[in-house]
Amino acid sequence: SQQGEEDPQALSIQEGENATMNCSYKTSINNLQWYRQNSGRGLVHLILIRSNEREKHSGRLRVTLDTSKKSSSLLITASRAADTASYFCATESGGYQKVTFGTGTKLQVIP
Amino acid sequence: NAGVTQTPKFRVLKTGQSMTLLCAQDMNHEYMYWYRQDPGMGLRLIHYSVGEGTTAKGEVPDGYNVSRLKKQNFLLGLESAAPSQTSVYFCASSYPSGLDLGETQYFGPGTRLLVL
């Protein structure tokens, strides 16, 4: 069963706009990660936020985590055409690397 | 430093045939994983390994076997392929930094498998 569920499933924006994707999960977690997948490629790690953190930044990425609502959001500011990809959240709970991936948000940035 | 590599990139099998997918990593990672990715399903963990000589079942292990004879290699075998195993298979690896701290997983480029 999927732990993380991303919302929306698909998002289309103009270049320069901000893109926000949300992830909801069901059980308590140790940390939550966001990955990007370009078409036909493997996943690439973007950012990790631990359960005791509320917000984290990395370049144009901003991730928030609300453990009381069991949700996280990924904000990409000033989007570029190269940001076009699918974005997955992955939650880690329990020991021994129990990581569960969501179903992903497909982002299209139109030049 | 090649990272995580997978062979083959693409394969077509007939129902009942067998094959082995090879994953190799040159980052000295302890943990390795095999996932399958199907449309609308995200990634699902098939098997994983926390060290040389050890393997464990993931979420969807049926129909697959794995081996980790060398630290850098993780093999995924299909003994008798079925059309339901048509998918994209990804291998990943990570280096454990301790429980509850989280580890980044590094992914290979994927193997597309079509079972007719």
Side-chain angles (χ1 to χ4, degrees):
Chain A
S1 61
Q2 299 298 131
Q3 161 77 310
E5 296 288 338
E6 284 92 339
D7 171 59
Q9 290 187 337
L11 179 62
S12 183
I13 60 174
Q14 296 290 329
E15 197 167 32
E17 294 181 338
N18 295 342
T20 299
M21 288 158 268
N22 303 296
C23 171
S24 59
Y25 57 91
K26 298 172 185 172
T27 63
S28 61
I29 61 172
N30 296 325
N31 64 71
L32 185 145
Q33 303 178 49
W34 284 92
Y35 287 79
R36 183 187 73 224
Q37 183 181 33
N38 290 89
S39 181
R41 309 291 292 271
L43 278 71
V44 175
H45 181 262
L46 294 176
I47 195 166
L48 179 151
I49 186 165
R50 298 192 174 93
S51 59
N52 60 353
E53 298 176 313
R54 292 297 168 257
E55 188 171 313
K56 205 161 183 179
H57 296 255
S58 177
R60 294 185 294 113
L61 304 180
R62 173 176 170 255
V63 170
T64 61
L65 179 64
D66 187 334
T67 53
S68 66
K69 295 182 179 179
K70 291 186 171 59
S71 67
S72 172
S73 66
L74 171 66
L75 168 67
I76 303 174
T77 60
S79 63
R80 305 167 182 169
D83 295 329
T84 293
S86 291
Y87 292 81
F88 294 86
C89 67
T91 55
E92 183 185 322
S93 57
Y96 264 2
Q97 285 283 284
K98 187 166 175 55
V99 174
T100 306
F101 287 83
T103 52
T105 291
K106 196 168 186 177
L107 172 66
Q108 181 186 27
V109 180
I110 302 168
Chain B
N1 196 334
V4 180
T5 58
Q6 292 181 233
T7 53
K9 287 184 170 55
F10 177 70
R11 185 75 182 268
V12 179
L13 288 179
K14 292 181 180 179
T15 297
Q17 286 185 318
S18 63
M19 77 164 295
T20 300
L21 283 68
L22 172 63
C23 175
Q25 53 94 4
D26 60 2
M27 296 174 283
N28 201 34
H29 284 170
E30 290 292 335
Y31 293 177
M32 296 187 75
Y33 316 81
W34 276 107
Y35 294 92
R36 60 179 287 174
Q37 185 177 34
D38 302 292
M41 297 291 291
L43 273 78
R44 291 182 292 170
L45 183 64
I46 304 171
H47 286 279
Y48 66 98
S49 169
V50 298
E52 182 179 320
T54 70
T55 62
K57 294 180 180 179
E59 182 184 355
V60 288
D62 294 341
Y64 305 95
N65 57 75
V66 289
S67 64
R68 184 99 180 270
L69 298 179
K70 293 183 179 180
K71 185 177 183 179
Q72 63 268 34
N73 295 337
F74 195 27
L75 278 64
L76 177 71
L78 286 74
E79 291 184 347
S80 180
S84 61
Q85 294 178 304
T86 293
S87 187
V88 181
Y89 292 86
F90 288 98
C91 175
S93 70
S94 67
Y95 189 82
S97 61
L99 291 177
D100 299 337
L101 295 181
E103 294 89 23
T104 297
Q105 294 191 21
Y106 296 81
F107 283 80
T111 295
R112 291 183 179 277
L113 176 65
L114 175 61
V115 183
L116 301 175

